[in-house]
Amino acid sequence: MATKSQRRATRTHRRRAAARGLVRVEVQAAKKDAGLIRALAETLRDKPERAASLRSTLASALQSPDVKTAFDIFGSELSDEVFEGVFDQPRRDGWRKVDL
């Protein structure tokens, strides 16, 4: 259990960080990726000139602006072979009976 002075120091630190527009983010990642994630966080936090280009690069790599919903994917003009095997999984609990 933290002492009163430790709790006060933590509260003050978090208040100052929030005033700077920062939030605490915790992630779980593979050990080999920890250094990369720390470097990304440092760049985004402390290097505004490099952060802008990093943000745009990450956004374009991780987001596809053309695809917004599942309907955009499944209602697209893709051939049926693309979805082969996706919907062939059997039900785990079986069918429920419906009285129409």
Side-chain angles (χ1 to χ4, degrees):
M1 180 169 246
T3 65
K4 186 174 181 180
S5 63
Q6 289 171 329
R7 288 192 305 265
R8 188 179 319 123
T10 301
R11 188 172 50 244
T12 303
H13 169 74
R14 289 181 180 164
R15 193 178 307 129
R16 276 188 263 126
R20 290 177 33 210
L22 299 176
V23 294
R24 182 174 173 80
V25 178
E26 183 177 331
V27 297
Q28 292 184 346
K31 193 174 193 174
K32 64 181 180 180
D33 295 331
L36 175 63
I37 293 171
R38 285 185 185 108
L40 285 170
E42 181 183 358
T43 301
L44 292 171
R45 180 183 60 238
D46 297 331
K47 300 173 182 155
E49 65 283 348
R50 292 185 61 203
S53 65
L54 179 60
R55 274 189 201 97
S56 65
T57 303
L58 287 172
S60 65
L62 298 176
Q63 299 171 352
S64 178
D66 298 337
V67 178
K68 295 182 178 90
T69 65
F71 181 76
D72 292 335
I73 295 170
F74 297 119
S76 67
E77 298 297 322
L78 295 175
S79 65
D80 291 341
E81 290 81 31
V82 173
F83 302 106
E84 202 168 290
V86 174
F87 301 109
D88 295 338
Q89 300 173 5
R91 288 182 169 264
R92 292 188 304 172
D93 298 330
W95 295 91
R96 67 182 168 106
K97 296 183 181 189
V98 176
D99 185 23
L100 297 176

